[in-house]
Amino acid sequence: MSRSTSIRARRIAGNGALAVVAAAALTAVLGGCRPAVRPPVNVVLVSIDTLRADRLGCYGGTTVETPAIDSLSNAGVRFQNAFTPVPLTLPAHWTILTGVEPWHHGVVDNGMTLPKPPAATLAERFADAGYDTAAFVSAFVLHRTFGLDRGFARYDDGPAADAVLDELMHASAPADERVDRALAWLRRERKRPFFVWLHLFDPHAPYVPPPGFRARYSGRPYDGEVAFVDTQVARLLAALERSGIADRTLVVLLSDHAESLGEHGEETHGLLLYDATLRVPLLFRLPGTLGAGEVRPEAVTLADVAPTILALTGLPATPGVDGRDLFGPAASPLRQLGAVSQAPVRRFGWASLTAVREAGWKFIAAPRSELYRIADDPAELVDRRASDPDRAVGLARAARGIEATLNARLAARGTVEPGSEALARLSALGYVSGPASTASAPPDPKDAIRSMGELDRAYQLFAEGRLDEAQASLNALLARSDFPPSTVLEGLGRLARLRGDAAEAEKLFLQMIAQDPEALGPLAQLVRLARERGDRGAEVERARRLVALAPADGGAARLLAEALLGAGDSAGAEEEYRRGLKVAPRSGWLRLGLARLLVATRRGDEADRELEKITSDEDLPGDVIAEARTLRSRPAR
Ligand SMILES: [Zn+2]
């Protein structure tokens, strides 16, 4: 009780210093029904994908320099034991932005969409309260197709908009580019408070830090990515400071899930439910309201983030959510926190997992369940089921309750599975492999995970340019029976292409098509292979097949239009560009292609209109906008 009173007192004390801001406007927005006028607090939510708390200095890390995030912690409140309820990007962000746990919202894998969200998102709440809202996301998994753009006046998923069927590395944007865009938006004149969500993706696999960081963290590319992303957080914090609004801006920094880095046999994240991937950093800074350098030890969930942000900005709680205001009255010491993992069954036909933690203990329900006393065994190494069977039984019951709730939610078809185009893009990112056929009982993910780890390691070697090692690793996987080979074949095909062995690449991608005639990724690769060897007929034929399979896909339309252009069918190409833009109007590359064709056929005015559409859409990728500007400025048209 006393701590919540003291926070309230400090919050009110802060009002005087903030009287200069447009409090009147906010009173009008809030309808004047609140007892006290609170200062309009801006909100900056930074989610750093795949960030382990223990890499940060403020969480005791010693191997990576993270001065910016540490300074944020020193000036604010650090939650020492924060956990994600699901170790996957899209499901976790649904929880972060709504305060609803995954077993209630039902998004348990990347690529799923919700026809009707279970609660208003933070962006919707802030938009309703008169805030200016914007999001800058870095990866295709958070593309607007998947619904998190709700309530955002601006949703910049630019780097992903054209990622369709493109190469693995092109589907996400680096933190410096994203921070550039967010800063440009923050610099705008505005009379209203703002809510901005910045999602940075760099620590996500494969780890390829910028050259300076690669050298400084040689042999530790993940750490290099973390150090780099910290320098970009530094730019953001410095800009807030320079603009004089840091004192009335709530900054929240967290991760959607962490990264296992080999612990328990998992290389990345998304399948197992150990704290190697569930534990995340969680920091709140609001000068004058929150204590500086405060450390909170209790276990909290990412579902608590939205209710806490709303409370700190003086907005009423969203009804019906699972999370709680972390600066409100203390929670029960027996509060139970859950976590779910459905990706093992959905992607590989393995068993699903459910975890429950309570008062320093954690139970993981699995074909071979586990009980850990995480208070003194944080690495989850000693299974205590035999020594504490009663506790195991009690927590198992709680886990079954979560499973039943989730199964009911999924059975009610509250979520929609991704369409084939979205699946193809996610597959190109290594997210979806398609369920393997399961003979008898589904394997326990902690046993089956080893082959997945080998695949992750192969892709990391690939990204580092260590092609021989990547090849050996993929070949070893190909020889195993417990792994769906399509992902392996795709990796081998890409490797062959990279090495210039077109015949081998062709053979591997054709093999994938034989397995799954509707697979888009390998077909797109086959279009490119035909182009590279100058076989225009095959290129057009394959691209037509691709468009027939994915008629609404801008990337497919672009491949067909370019194929037709290469074959000398300029009219056909123009028709395809225009058809593609009807179904994918935000495809910058498609529009750029049409503009080039119009320039080439001496229709400068028409070309200018298309180029204008590109240069005025600030969410499009920077290189598309730059090319459009160059093309416009060229005099001889
Ligand atoms: Zn993520």
Side-chain angles (χ1 to χ4, degrees):
M1 257 346 253
S2 66
R3 66 157 298 102
S4 99
T5 313
S6 80
I7 283 168
R8 198 160 302 278
R10 264 181 282 153
R11 201 181 282 172
I12 290 163
N15 277 2
L18 298 162
V20 284
V21 294
L26 193 77
T27 315
V29 165
L30 295 177
C33 57
R34 303 191 62 80
V37 177
R38 290 165 191 269
V41 174
N42 303 306
V43 180
V44 177
L45 171 63
V46 184
S47 62
I48 302 178
D49 215 288
T50 323
L51 177 61
R52 280 178 72 113
D54 68 3
R55 286 306 192 271
L56 305 173
C58 55
Y59 281 91
T62 53
T63 56
V64 188
E65 285 175 55
T66 55
I69 297 173
D70 298 346
S71 77
L72 194 66
S73 171
N74 287 335
V77 181
R78 176 172 86 242
F79 283 86
Q80 198 64 18
N81 293 293
F83 300 96
T84 187
V86 53
L88 282 167
T89 307
L90 180 71
H93 279 94
W94 266 109
T95 293
I96 293 165
L97 292 176
T98 58
V100 176
E101 297 282 20
W103 43 100
H104 285 136
H105 65 56
V107 177
V108 288
D109 205 349
N110 292 319
M112 295 172 87
T113 53
L114 278 177
K116 188 178 171 295
T121 64
L122 279 177
E124 291 175 300
R125 293 296 316 280
F126 282 117
D128 283 349
Y131 274 59
D132 195 3
T133 57
F136 299 86
V137 303
S138 296
F140 176 70
V141 272
L142 296 179
H143 189 273
R144 68 188 67 199
T145 310
F146 305 118
L148 281 173
D149 60 325
R150 305 171 65 87
F152 284 107
R154 175 152 177 218
Y155 194 84
D156 186 334
D157 51 10
D162 268 305
V164 195
L165 307 174
D166 228 319
E167 299 293 332
L168 187 73
M169 298 300 290
H170 289 193
S172 69
D176 47 353
E177 189 271 353
R178 294 284 87 190
V179 171
D180 283 348
R181 291 224 174 171
L183 292 186
W185 183 83
L186 282 168
R187 275 195 289 270
R188 281 183 199 164
E189 276 298 317
R190 60 168 61 81
K191 294 198 166 62
R192 301 184 292 160
F194 62 81
F195 166 63
V196 61
W197 167 36
L198 178 59
H199 163 254
L200 304 176
F201 199 62
D202 304 69
H204 194 284
Y207 323 117
V208 190
F213 294 85
R214 205 174 308 165
R216 205 155 89 219
Y217 293 92
S218 172
R220 293 185 288 138
Y222 174 81
D223 290 0
E225 295 277 29
V226 173
F228 169 63
V229 94
D230 185 81
T231 63
Q232 300 310 307
V233 172
R235 291 179 60 217
L236 176 72
L237 296 179
L240 291 176
E241 212 62 56
R242 269 198 310 275
S243 62
I245 56 170
D247 280 353
R248 56 178 191 277
T249 300
L250 167 64
V251 179
V252 181
L253 185 140
L254 49 77
S255 183
D256 54 347
H257 52 76
E259 189 80 322
S260 204
L261 298 175
E263 284 186 52
H264 304 279
E266 186 172 33
E267 285 300 313
T268 57
H269 61 267
L271 297 170
L272 303 186
L273 289 180
Y274 297 103
D275 288 353
T277 61
L278 297 191
R279 185 178 177 226
V280 293
L282 177 60
L283 307 170
F284 291 84
R285 185 188 78 180
L286 181 57
T289 298
L290 298 177
E294 197 180 315
V295 180
R296 294 273 298 267
E298 71 270 35
V300 303
T301 156
L302 288 179
D304 296 332
V305 170
T308 304
I309 289 176
L310 290 172
L312 286 171
T313 48
L315 294 181
T318 306
V321 305
D322 298 304
R324 47 180 301 276
D325 170 13
L326 293 173
F327 300 105
S332 156
L334 291 179
R335 185 185 191 201
Q336 288 182 338
L337 300 183
V340 292
S341 178
Q342 292 280 315
V345 57
R346 294 169 50 82
R347 300 182 188 184
F348 306 113
W350 304 346
S352 62
L353 300 171
T354 306
V356 177
R357 81 179 68 233
E358 179 195 272
W361 289 82
K362 181 175 159 194
F363 181 82
I364 304 173
R368 283 194 339 278
S369 296
E370 299 150 86
L371 176 70
Y372 296 104
R373 195 161 73 196
I374 40 175
D376 49 29
D377 178 21
E380 295 159 287
L381 298 174
V382 184
D383 183 1
R384 312 262 180 179
R385 254 181 328 154
S387 59
D388 207 334
D390 291 349
R391 192 179 299 276
V393 168
L395 290 175
R397 195 178 306 124
R400 278 198 301 275
I402 289 174
E403 280 165 18
T405 305
L406 175 58
N407 288 337
R409 174 79 184 154
L410 293 174
R413 298 183 191 279
T415 51
V416 174
E417 301 298 325
S420 63
E421 294 126 52
L423 271 178
R425 300 181 212 185
L426 291 165
S427 157
L429 288 162
Y431 276 115
V432 182
S433 304
S437 59
T438 45
S440 51
D444 193 316
K446 61 180 163 289
D447 301 325
I449 193 77
R450 310 271 158 193
S451 45
M452 187 69 207
E454 279 174 44
L455 186 70
D456 286 333
R457 277 192 296 280
Y459 269 93
Q460 175 63 23
L461 291 166
F462 194 149
E464 289 178 15
R466 294 157 69 180
L467 303 188
D468 290 337
E469 292 161 86
Q471 177 98 40
S473 188
L474 288 170
N475 281 335
L477 274 169
L478 198 59
R480 298 174 59 147
S481 61
D482 61 342
F483 202 81
S486 69
T487 321
V488 181
L489 289 176
E490 177 152 17
L492 285 168
R494 283 169 183 271
L495 260 176
R497 221 184 130 208
L498 212 61
R499 289 169 180 284
D501 188 346
E504 176 69 7
E506 174 106 5
K507 193 186 92 193
L508 287 158
F509 290 127
L510 284 172
Q511 214 176 319
M512 285 182 73
I513 299 279
Q515 276 180 14
D516 176 6
E518 300 199 346
L520 303 182
L523 189 50
Q525 297 281 356
L526 286 166
V527 174
R528 292 197 178 92
L529 283 165
R531 179 188 309 181
E532 281 160 19
R533 66 166 184 268
D535 185 346
R536 295 296 184 181
E539 185 190 349
V540 171
E541 187 268 322
R542 287 170 175 181
R544 279 199 198 286
R545 215 175 340 140
L546 188 64
V547 166
L549 286 171
D553 193 301
R558 181 182 159 198
L559 284 178
L560 177 55
E562 287 170 0
L564 291 166
L565 208 55
D569 182 358
S570 168
E574 182 175 342
E575 199 178 313
E576 184 57 21
Y577 277 127
R578 293 192 188 279
R579 188 202 65 81
L581 281 168
K582 275 204 189 93
V583 292
R586 289 191 68 253
S587 173
W589 287 113
L590 211 49
R591 200 171 294 283
L592 196 60
L594 175 62
R596 282 210 193 92
L597 191 150
L598 291 168
V599 169
T601 50
R602 309 203 172 281
R603 283 173 285 169
D605 290 348
E606 261 185 88
D608 275 345
R609 281 199 292 278
E610 298 302 331
L611 293 169
E612 160 72 24
K613 282 182 195 156
I614 294 172
T615 53
S616 62
D617 184 349
E618 57 191 357
D619 290 350
L620 289 177
D623 42 1
V624 175
I625 296 175
E627 280 207 39
R629 288 215 176 99
T630 310
L631 205 54
R632 268 188 99 173
S633 63
R634 211 168 284 167
R637 290 214 304 267

